[in-house]
Amino acid sequence: MWRSIGAMGVISGLTFLAACDTTTPGGDLRSDLERNRSLWSEQGMTSYIYGLERVCFCHEVARGPVKVTVQDGVVEGRAYVSSGTAVDPEFEDLFPAVTGLFDLIEQAIEAAAFRIEVTYDPATGLPVDVFIDYDQQVADEELGFSVVELPAGP
């Protein structure tokens, strides 16, 4: 149902990431964001399922990976990949639709985060890997996420 870039596809995953566009400090983060957001929008994917894992200093219930089901642009379900158990409502907002990933990147840019690194898929604009360090002087406030299962129709 959904294509994996996880452990079963390490070689293809490395090839996939090698073809991606990485934005790092010194690049034009805002224009890269807008270009890739537009490219994602052009895909017309409003109903899809994808896998998302957060990279953070947090409990596993807040990390995932989680299968996110989106129907007509609205998240209809979130379930942990390992167990199929629904994500507790307290943690649902941590696993947004793809449009929410773009919003997180935009918020970091607006907050003038110390370090923002984004890897976008050049074909779809999807942000597949993101790392944000809001403040160099603060430990353990960094945030990241990785798309571990590419979006596919339900």
Side-chain angles (χ1 to χ4, degrees), residues 12-26:
S12 63
L14 292 175
T15 302
F16 171 80
L17 290 175
C20 293
D21 173 30
T22 301
T23 301
T24 56

Side-chain angles (χ1 to χ4, degrees), residues 7 19 22 36 54 64 81 89-90 92-93 100-101 119 122-123 125-127 131:
T22 301
N36 285 290
R54 295 178 72 244
V81 171
E90 177 182 356
E92 286 180 344
D93 289 344
L101 302 179
T119 302
L126 175 72
F131 175 80

Side-chain angles (χ1 to χ4, degrees), residues 11-127:
I11 293 175
S12 63
L14 292 175
T15 302
F16 171 80
L17 290 175
C20 293
D21 173 30
T22 301
T23 301
T24 56
D28 189 348
L29 293 168
R30 184 160 303 279
S31 65
D32 288 345
L33 169 66
E34 294 308 321
R35 182 180 71 247
N36 285 290
R37 182 182 267 162
S38 178
L39 185 56
W40 171 256
S41 181
E42 290 170 12
Q43 305 306 304
M45 290 189 78
T46 59
S47 297
Y48 55 89
I49 299 169
Y50 84 110
L52 180 66
E53 183 169 20
R54 295 178 72 244
V55 180
C56 58
F57 295 101
C58 53
H59 193 275
E60 65 186 296
V61 297
R63 278 194 314 263
V66 168
K67 179 171 75 169
V68 180
T69 303
V70 178
Q71 186 68 37
D72 296 323
V74 177
V75 177
E76 295 287 323
R78 297 169 179 93
Y80 293 103
V81 171
S82 61
S83 66
T85 305
V87 173
D88 187 285
E90 177 182 356
F91 301 107
E92 286 180 344
D93 289 344
L94 300 177
F95 304 99
V98 168
T99 54
L101 302 179
F102 287 109
D103 293 343
L104 288 170
I105 297 164
E106 183 172 27
Q107 290 164 6
I109 293 169
E110 289 176 2
F114 170 70
R115 182 172 158 206
I116 303 170
E117 295 181 11
V118 183
T119 302
Y120 294 100
D121 173 34
T124 65
L126 175 72

